[in-house]
Amino acid sequence: MGKWQRVKYQPVLPLGKDGRRVTGCKEHIALSRKAAGEGMVLIKNEKECLPLAGGARVALFGKGTIDYVKGGGGSGDVTVAYIRNLYEGMKIKEAEGKVSLLHELPEFYSREMKKQYQAGAVPGMTTEPELPAELLEKAKAFTDTAVVTVCRFSGEGWDRKCEINDEGYELFEDEKKQIELSAKIFENGDFCLTNSEAALIETVKENFANVIVVMNVGGMVDTTWFKDCDRISSVLMAWQGGMEGGLAMADVLCGDVNPSGKLVDTYAASLEDYPSTENFHESVHYVDYTEDIYVGYRYFETLPGAAEKVNYPFGYGLSYTDFDIRTIEAGERDGKIRLQVKVTNTGKRAGKEVVQVYYGAPQGKLGKPARALAAYAKTRLLQAGESQIMSLSFEISSMASYDDLGKVCMSAYVLEPGEYVFYVGNNVRDAGKIDYIYRINEVIVTEQLSRQGAPHKLSKRLLADGSYEELPVDEPTEEPGLIRQDKRKLEGYMPGAREQQMVSFMELKEAGRPQLLDVAEGKLTLDEFVSQLSDEDLIHLIGGQPNTGVANTFGMGNLPEYGVPNVMTADGPAGLRIVPECGVNTTAWPCATLLACTWDTQLVEEIGAAGAKEVKENNIGIWLTPAVNIHRSPLCGRNFEYYSEDPLVAGETGAAMVRGIQSMHVGASVKHFACNNKETNRKDSDSRVSERALREIYLKAFEIIVKKSDPYTIMSSYNLINGVQASENKEILTEILRGEWGYKGMVTTDWWTHGEHYRETKAGNDIKMANGYPKRVKEALEKGYITRAEIAVCAKRILEMILKID
């Protein structure tokens, strides 16, 4: 197929073998099921209640048996041919002779959920029905083993346990609807059980000897109610497992899949134990990141008294077998710490293990987390008694800390003198200290940078000993420019279609306009091509373009007279999102949190490639995924779409996804750059964060992805970062992203930001989506607030991106 034939002419030609379509194909659905099983985390299994014994009689309790949530809402939703819930998965196992079910129970829940769906409810936003006494008695007579499923839905644009203080903030209609509905259904906040769920679980505990809990959730939830409860034997964090999640749950419960997932977040005893909770809802206009670098396990493993607040530590997860992890060699070579670790399956079942390496740096003048993840790797499937030697390594410079106050060396990454120790194991808490120590005698500056993205209004931050230090406060300034637009004119507008003058074919031929294909074929340089475009042409390029085909998130490019195709975009991240009315069913992959819990970058890369094939087959060139924001707080409503509290896990998982996507010459769009950790008032909320935490925690995953996978595009976030709209933040988008990291790709805004188009362009945000504001940019150009050169460099980067796409 020729260059851009798909994007220009829309031939939906199959990419599969023998002329079959790959979109929503059985191979991709099987891969989704496999990934779901790999990422589910068994966090409790007393009395070896799991796996279920062959032929076991099982009673399925809870609306979640039927009310399965495949993934989150908003951009994470996917149109699919079917969704398989736990009951449907267990029926397949029953047909295979592995379990026996009391069907009257799930049939009751099915009728109840049908009523609620018909009344307008969506999966996960339903109420737990009261269990009829006669059904309970039948279940008790049938078996002593009960499986209770709890489900949760999360979505874009609203947070969990929402609180809106009256500060003149007007809710959007969707926000208001979701907040009111959430408060009605989840009277204790959806982090905790509802009263009706708690009542059901108490009933089940009182009547059954073996109680298994399945959590169909998108992220962190309350775990205290089952952790120390001796009446609950087993708990499976099944997450939101995509379209085959119910069958994948059944695979794990029945032992067809040995769980090998590990937690990518710390599970504390209560919501209030997370340092981010205190000020999460302090204001709709800002969030103070006062916990600084002490996010997740960096807080709980470091701060005095915090360790005992943890129910389940970062990296934790059980298996149906046992493993011995032994470090056989460790040392430094060529600027890297290198380890050889032997993993032996000492149990009776085949299984996989994750080796995790942590370092502990000297506290020095800057203060450090007690432990930080340095490297990890997952074994192959090891048979009982089998061993595998794992080679792990990481740069010594990756242990450096950023000095943003000049305590050691201003605006530099430094390794402070002292002993650097290492821990190896299968979670942060149980990782054992090894004998090898790396010693530094004097300060080493690993990278000298300059002050960028520093806070103006963050007055204090947490230190390793639990005290706070004061930070300088000042007033941010803004360059002169046009009077800012009314924000109401920045919401939900469709891109305008550019008028094309009536012209004959002969006139076009005689005009001899350069074509972008000439650049692709090496007949013309891109600079030569751009130099022949008018100001109006350049301004047209830096705004979003109308939809074509099955796309519904608009396009980029679209200068047909110059042969520039209109390259379509599509939402992710849980699959190619095509609206139902198009009649195209795609594959729904497990949510991002689950994928990260696999700790298997090779598997994630495989999913990226498979998803990109579906994107490409439907004539779309840019897939708006992965989302790699940090799980700063359990309260963020969009955590299901993000990977982890740890920037290394988020970065490595995201980098694998990008590699897979771009192996198909489809552009990935890594989002949301950066500090998009709250959905309430997300377009105007200011994330106030220290420069150190910004660099070490919130930008780090993006840095890893840029340096390892070179994404075609990055998406800036809605929020402000230290008083400046992320999409207008030159220090972040140009000085750090391009100047320090060497990024050569293109930056897009998120859709309908509240940033000014021309200011975004000046900052290095190449295109405004979903639509541009050409008249505003032209006015700014005429008044000297922006130059043609600044517009041209953005247009050029858009064209460079288009040239990479087939």
Side-chain angles (χ1 to χ4, degrees):
M1 186 175 287
K3 186 77 170 173
W4 301 319
Q5 278 184 301
R6 284 185 181 273
V7 295
K8 288 176 76 172
Y9 304 116
Q10 300 293 306
V12 186
L13 300 180
L15 287 175
K17 296 177 181 177
D18 305 321
R20 293 184 295 113
R21 278 177 59 79
V22 299
T23 303
C25 66
K26 63 180 182 180
E27 292 85 0
H28 287 184
I29 293 173
L31 179 60
S32 178
R33 173 185 173 187
K34 175 187 174 183
E38 289 271 332
M40 293 180 183
V41 182
L42 183 67
I43 60 174
K44 185 175 183 179
N45 195 26
E46 297 176 357
K47 300 184 295 185
E48 295 187 346
C49 194
L50 289 177
L52 295 167
R57 290 183 164 214
V58 180
L60 302 176
F61 287 93
K63 69 180 179 66
T65 304
I66 301 297
D67 188 33
Y68 170 66
V69 181
K70 74 180 189 302
S75 66
D77 200 8
V78 181
T79 303
V80 292
Y82 67 90
I83 300 167
R84 212 184 303 268
N85 60 36
L86 178 59
Y87 178 44
E88 291 164 333
M90 291 296 277
K91 282 196 293 186
I92 291 173
K93 299 303 177 185
E94 184 177 50
E96 296 170 353
K98 293 173 180 174
V99 292
S100 180
L101 304 175
L102 177 66
H103 292 274
E104 289 174 82
L105 264 175
E107 286 169 357
F108 159 73
Y109 288 114
S110 183
R111 291 191 299 272
E112 291 296 318
M113 290 304 98
K114 185 177 181 180
K115 292 176 189 175
Q116 294 192 40
Y117 294 159
Q118 288 175 341
V122 298
M125 297 296 286
T126 54
T127 57
E128 187 69 50
E130 185 175 352
L131 180 69
E134 62 271 20
L135 266 184
L136 177 62
E137 292 304 315
K138 285 185 179 181
K140 285 171 62 177
F142 179 75
T143 182
D144 63 355
T145 300
V147 175
V148 186
T149 304
V150 177
C151 67
R152 288 291 182 272
F153 173 82
S154 296
E156 183 177 353
W158 56 289
D159 290 308
R160 306 169 67 187
K161 199 174 181 181
C162 290
E163 298 174 10
I164 302 297
N165 296 324
D166 182 15
E167 299 180 54
Y169 174 64
E170 294 183 15
L171 292 168
F172 287 108
E173 211 45 51
D174 283 348
E175 286 180 314
K176 186 176 180 180
K177 179 182 176 182
Q178 288 290 0
I179 290 170
E180 290 176 350
L181 181 60
S182 179
K184 180 181 178 182
I185 296 172
F186 307 108
E187 61 270 77
N188 307 309
D190 82 340
F191 182 81
C192 303
L193 293 177
T194 66
N195 295 340
S196 56
E197 288 170 339
L200 171 67
I201 287 164
E202 284 301 314
T203 299
V204 172
K205 283 161 49 179
E206 290 170 3
N207 289 279
F208 294 85
N210 303 309
V211 179
I212 299 160
V213 173
V214 175
M215 300 295 290
N216 170 209
V217 296
M220 289 176 272
V221 289
D222 179 30
T223 57
T224 299
W225 58 273
F226 59 71
K227 178 183 180 290
D228 296 319
C229 178
D230 58 7
R231 300 302 302 272
I232 295 177
S233 302
S234 303
V235 180
L236 179 67
M237 302 301 294
W239 315 120
Q240 295 167 348
M243 61 193 296
E244 282 282 19
L247 182 52
M249 293 174 194
D251 287 336
V252 175
L253 294 177
C254 294
D256 293 336
V257 169
N258 190 345
S260 60
K262 305 288 184 181
L263 296 178
V264 290
D265 296 302
T266 304
Y267 282 67
S270 74
L271 193 56
E272 289 69 32
D273 290 332
Y274 295 91
S276 58
T277 299
E278 183 179 2
N279 61 14
F280 189 86
H281 285 304
E282 180 179 281
S283 171
V284 296
H285 301 302
Y286 63 85
V287 180
D288 286 338
Y289 288 41
T290 51
E291 74 282 357
D292 205 52
I293 62 169
Y294 300 102
V295 178
Y297 72 86
R298 286 170 166 81
Y299 171 83
F300 291 105
E301 302 302 318
T302 305
L303 273 289
E308 54 263 32
K309 298 177 181 179
V310 174
N311 280 350
Y312 298 100
F314 176 85
Y316 180 81
L318 301 173
S319 171
Y320 295 151
T321 189
D322 298 306
F323 294 94
D324 177 68
I325 300 174
R326 190 162 302 179
T327 303
I328 57 178
E329 184 180 336
E332 180 274 330
R333 189 173 74 252
D334 300 327
K336 291 185 176 182
I337 302 296
R338 302 176 186 271
L339 302 96
Q340 296 278 304
V341 180
K342 184 178 181 180
V343 182
T344 302
N345 183 346
T346 59
K348 298 178 181 179
R349 291 174 176 267
K352 298 179 181 180
E353 181 60 292
V354 177
V355 177
Q356 303 165 34
V357 180
Y358 298 85
Y359 70 87
Q363 284 297 310
K365 296 179 180 179
L366 298 180
K368 318 286 192 318
R371 298 186 181 192
L373 186 66
Y376 64 89
K378 194 168 191 175
T379 68
R380 64 176 181 268
L381 185 68
L382 297 178
Q383 299 301 316
E386 186 181 7
S387 298
Q388 182 179 353
I389 294 178
M390 314 289 289
S391 296
L392 299 97
S393 65
F394 56 93
E395 300 283 347
I396 292 171
S397 59
S398 69
M399 297 188 291
S401 300
Y402 187 77
D403 184 359
D404 56 2
L405 292 181
K407 295 178 180 179
V408 180
C409 182
M410 184 68 183
S411 302
Y413 275 101
V414 297
L415 290 165
E416 294 197 74
E419 294 186 344
Y420 289 74
V421 296
F422 306 97
Y423 307 87
V424 178
N426 59 7
N427 68 76
V428 68
R429 183 66 57 84
D430 296 332
K433 186 177 178 182
I434 66 173
D435 293 336
Y436 175 72
I437 297 174
Y438 182 74
R439 293 180 175 84
I440 293 177
N441 296 322
E442 58 186 21
V443 172
I444 297 174
V445 176
T446 63
E447 192 174 13
Q448 181 63 60
L449 300 170
S450 58
R451 188 174 187 264
Q452 305 291 344
H456 299 279
K457 296 291 187 179
L458 183 68
S459 62
K460 65 177 184 178
R461 66 174 171 195
L462 185 64
L463 299 178
D465 63 2
S467 65
Y468 288 85
E469 71 175 350
E470 293 185 1
L471 296 176
V473 175
D474 60 20
E475 291 294 330
T477 59
E478 181 174 277
E479 290 184 4
L482 303 177
I483 296 173
R484 284 193 175 266
Q485 285 175 282
D486 183 339
K487 291 177 182 177
R488 289 172 294 183
K489 295 182 178 180
L490 299 172
E491 291 289 350
Y493 279 79
M494 306 276 281
R498 193 184 189 197
E499 182 181 2
Q500 190 168 345
Q501 298 297 321
M502 184 182 294
V503 63
S504 70
F505 284 108
M506 187 59 68
E507 287 174 315
L508 275 176
K509 185 176 181 181
E510 291 174 354
R513 284 178 175 167
Q515 300 292 297
L516 190 59
L517 191 60
D518 295 333
V519 179
E521 294 175 348
K523 299 174 183 177
L524 194 68
T525 69
L526 187 55
D527 285 330
E528 290 169 336
F529 179 83
V530 170
S531 69
Q532 297 184 57
L533 301 180
S534 67
D535 292 345
E536 289 74 15
D537 293 332
L538 294 174
I539 292 171
H540 175 76
L541 280 174
I542 62 172
Q545 302 299 320
N547 287 316
T548 60
V550 297
N552 74 318
T553 51
F554 310 103
M556 301 181 185
N558 196 27
L559 273 180
E561 60 269 40
Y562 290 94
V564 178
N566 188 6
V567 178
M568 291 295 105
T569 66
D571 263 330
L576 168 61
R577 184 169 183 251
I578 297 175
V579 293
E581 50 265 37
C582 292
V584 178
N585 294 319
T586 66
T587 304
W589 308 100
C591 74
T593 299
L594 186 152
L595 293 182
C597 286
T598 68
W599 294 65
D600 188 338
T601 54
Q602 185 175 345
L603 176 61
V604 173
E605 186 170 341
E606 190 177 350
I607 289 170
K613 286 180 181 177
E614 299 195 10
V615 172
K616 189 170 188 174
E617 187 173 70
N618 288 279
N619 305 327
I620 291 166
I622 303 162
W623 193 13
L624 305 174
T625 191
V628 300
N629 296 98
I630 294 297
H631 290 172
R632 173 182 176 261
S633 169
L635 289 171
C636 178
R638 213 168 174 181
N639 280 346
F640 70 92
E641 197 170 312
Y642 307 147
Y643 292 125
S644 173
E645 70 184 28
D646 182 76
L648 180 65
V649 172
E652 293 290 353
T653 309
M657 182 65 74
V658 170
R659 285 194 299 273
I661 293 168
Q662 294 184 176
S663 69
M664 296 303 301
H665 297 284
V666 167
S669 192
V670 185
K671 58 188 185 182
H672 309 89
F673 192 59
C675 300
N676 189 168
N677 304 110
K678 182 179 179 180
E679 288 296 285
T680 305
N681 194 28
R682 58 183 177 162
K683 293 190 178 183
D684 292 299
S685 179
D686 185 12
S687 296
R688 299 172 174 177
V689 56
S690 77
E691 189 182 358
R692 180 182 180 187
L694 184 67
R695 289 180 179 275
E696 292 187 20
I697 304 295
Y698 299 100
L699 297 185
K700 186 59 68 175
F702 294 93
E703 181 181 1
I704 291 169
I705 295 168
V706 165
K707 292 180 176 179
K708 288 199 168 188
S709 298
D710 190 23
Y712 291 4
T713 81
I714 285 176
M715 184 191 297
S716 59
S717 55
Y718 283 130
N719 53 282
L720 288 74
I721 303 174
N722 290 325
V724 182
Q725 294 278 169
S727 58
E728 295 180 4
N729 200 315
K730 187 174 183 178
E731 292 187 0
I732 304 295
L733 299 177
T734 296
E735 303 302 333
I736 292 178
L737 177 61
R738 293 192 168 98
E740 294 178 10
W741 302 349
Y743 180 59
K744 303 299 183 186
M746 188 209 82
V747 177
T748 174
T749 67
D750 205 339
W751 272 226
W752 300 296
T753 63
H754 286 176
E756 272 279 3
H757 190 176
Y758 77 93
R759 287 184 182 273
E760 292 170 334
T761 304
K762 283 179 70 70
N765 207 121
D766 302 304
I767 190 167
K768 187 171 184 70
M769 295 295 286
N771 61 286
Y773 290 83
K775 291 181 181 178
R776 293 281 293 179
V777 178
K778 186 67 182 298
E779 182 184 355
L781 177 64
E782 292 169 347
K783 292 182 176 179
Y785 293 129
I786 192 170
T787 66
R788 175 185 164 92
E790 288 172 322
I791 298 169
V793 73
C794 291
K796 180 181 176 182
R797 287 194 286 249
I798 295 164
L799 295 172
E800 285 173 335
M801 180 274 296
I802 292 172
L803 286 165
K804 296 174 185 175
I805 292 171
D806 283 347

